Amino acid sequence: MSCLFCRIVSGQEPAEVVLERDEVVGFLDVRPVFPGHVLLVPRVHVDTLTELPDELLVPLFAAARETAAAVKDVLGAQGSFVAMNNTVSQSVPHLHVHVVPRTKGDGLRGFFWPRVRYAEGQAQDVAARLRAVL
Ligand code: DGP
């Protein structure tokens, strides 16, 4: 089994597992942004969000909701950052949702999202293209 996160799910690779559901496993990220940073993965191998089967949408997002609540309730975080990388910047090609505990003043503000402005007419063009398929 070559996938690292498949090996964690099957117990072949050690990890600090914090959540186990029928379809989803959650474990601590080995290099956390902050302590308590959890990765949630579907038990079945799925590369990225676009391949996630319908029946896993609710289990995965429910696990994200539960974990986001837990880092507040148990670790004293004020909130959380929930995100995933898909292909670009994705270092492990098994879909994983990051749940990062957040607290005001933790230093993460604006950490990787420098913002740009739309050129004249660009927002309307981009919105129209997305609207056509969505
Ligand atoms: P990303 O860059 O979005 O693909 O996140 C992958 C994360 O996986 C990264 O934050 C570090 C974490 N990670 C990599 N290898 C391991 C490992 O062997 N065990 C655990 N628990 N986490 C890992």
Side-chain angles (χ1 to χ4, degrees):
M1 194 185 289
S2 61
C3 171
L4 173 63
F5 288 173
C6 283
R7 292 202 306 276
I8 287 177
V9 166
S10 68
Q12 293 171 258
E13 193 79 36
E16 291 292 346
V17 174
V18 298
L19 174 147
E20 292 193 86
R21 300 289 180 270
D22 288 347
E23 302 93 347
V24 177
V25 174
F27 52 91
L28 293 186
D29 190 305
V30 78
R31 292 192 301 275
V33 174
F34 297 116
H37 176 169
V38 170
L39 301 176
L40 299 165
V41 302
R43 286 184 187 272
V44 297
H45 185 92
V46 175
D47 279 5
T48 69
L49 180 62
T50 50
E51 291 91 44
L52 186 66
D54 285 354
E55 62 271 20
L56 296 182
L57 285 170
V58 169
L60 188 60
F61 206 65
R65 181 178 62 181
E66 281 186 83
T67 307
V71 297
K72 287 180 65 180
D73 296 345
V74 179
L75 302 182
Q78 291 174 341
S80 58
F81 177 67
V82 177
M84 72 182 72
N85 289 309
N86 290 289
T87 307
V88 176
S89 296
Q90 183 180 4
S91 59
V92 181
H94 180 137
L95 173 64
H96 47 283
V97 178
H98 295 259
V99 180
V100 179
R102 293 294 318 272
T103 296
K104 282 178 189 157
D106 62 18
L108 206 58
R109 186 159 44 109
F111 71 117
F112 64 70
W113 279 354
R115 304 302 178 98
V116 298
R117 291 187 188 283
Y118 284 108
E120 183 72 28
Q122 189 185 13
Q124 291 77 7
D125 175 56
V126 169
R129 288 160 60 193
L130 290 173
R131 205 178 291 124
V133 296
L134 295 174

